[in-house]
Amino acid sequence: MQKGLLLVVSGASGTGKGTVCKRLLAESSTLFYSISATTRQPRAGEKDGVEYFFVTVEEFQKWIAEDKFLEYAEVYGNFYGTPIHKIEERLNHGEDVLLEIDIQGALNVMKKRPDGVYIFLLPPSLEELSNRIKGRGSESPETFARRFQAATSEIATGKKYQYVVVNDTVDSAVEKIKAIIAAERCKVNRNENLFENLLAV
């Protein structure tokens, strides 16, 4: 049985990671979302155990001590981490797992899981990036300025990923990611058993 793909999607703040990943999950019955844990407060409409596991700083530190994270990082004063147990379980059963995580977290995962598929989302322009960050409606002018400056400096980090997808429209971005998944499934190093089975005597 072919092992599942660990699909990591990230990008600078405001590039539309959440929207793209939600559409991707809605259109795929074989892709499972890995829910991260965070110490930040829920945004409007977010529910514990759906978008994130919302935990206290004390709980998060306990999970770190128990080595329960594939990766974790502090971003804008809050902690984010990826619980490892469910991910490995699904991958070993041939199921694909989607991680939607920040850049710092993705770079940490790359070190531990070089077999993952790493996709970086880019905005079509800096003007559009600015509009998307403002469009959240949850940013003060000071927070917006900090996020926009950080986002523009984070964009160059995308060169460390395997794939880059410009999120000009959600439909286009999702189709490109589906094509990446299909290509990854066809890689020789993921299908060595096909050669062995065919040539078995």
Side-chain angles (χ1 to χ4, degrees), residues 6 9-10 13-14 27 35 38 40 44-45 48 53 60 66 75 78 83 97 139 146 163 169 181 185-186:
L6 177 62
V9 176
S10 58
S13 177
E27 296 182 5
I35 301 173
T38 182
R40 78 159 171 78
D48 182 50
F53 295 115
F60 199 97
E66 294 172 353
V75 183
N78 294 302
V97 177
E139 314 292 345
R146 183 177 63 175
Y163 298 95
T169 70
I181 294 172
R185 287 190 177 283
C186 294

Side-chain angles (χ1 to χ4, degrees), residues 166-178:
V166 176
N167 185 17
D168 44 2
T169 70
V170 175
D171 288 342
S172 174
V174 168
E175 288 307 311
K176 289 173 185 174
I177 294 175
K178 286 180 179 178

Side-chain angles (χ1 to χ4, degrees), residues 3-7 91 95-97 117 181 184-185 190:
K3 191 171 183 179
L5 297 175
L6 177 62
L7 188 69
L91 293 176
E95 299 169 331
D96 298 334
V97 177
V117 180
I181 294 172
E184 284 289 331
R185 287 190 177 283
R190 298 189 192 276

Side-chain angles (χ1 to χ4, degrees), residues 95-116:
E95 299 169 331
D96 298 334
V97 177
L98 173 65
L99 298 186
E100 178 206 333
I101 54 177
D102 65 274
I103 295 169
Q104 186 180 352
L107 295 178
N108 288 333
V109 175
M110 285 181 195
K111 297 173 186 176
K112 292 184 178 179
R113 296 300 302 262
D115 58 328

Side-chain angles (χ1 to χ4, degrees), residues 6 11 22 25 27 31 41 82 88 91 101 112 143 173 200:
L6 177 62
K22 283 178 183 176
L25 288 162
E27 296 182 5
L31 187 62
Q41 292 299 307
T82 304
E88 295 296 343
L91 293 176
I101 54 177
K112 292 184 178 179
T143 304

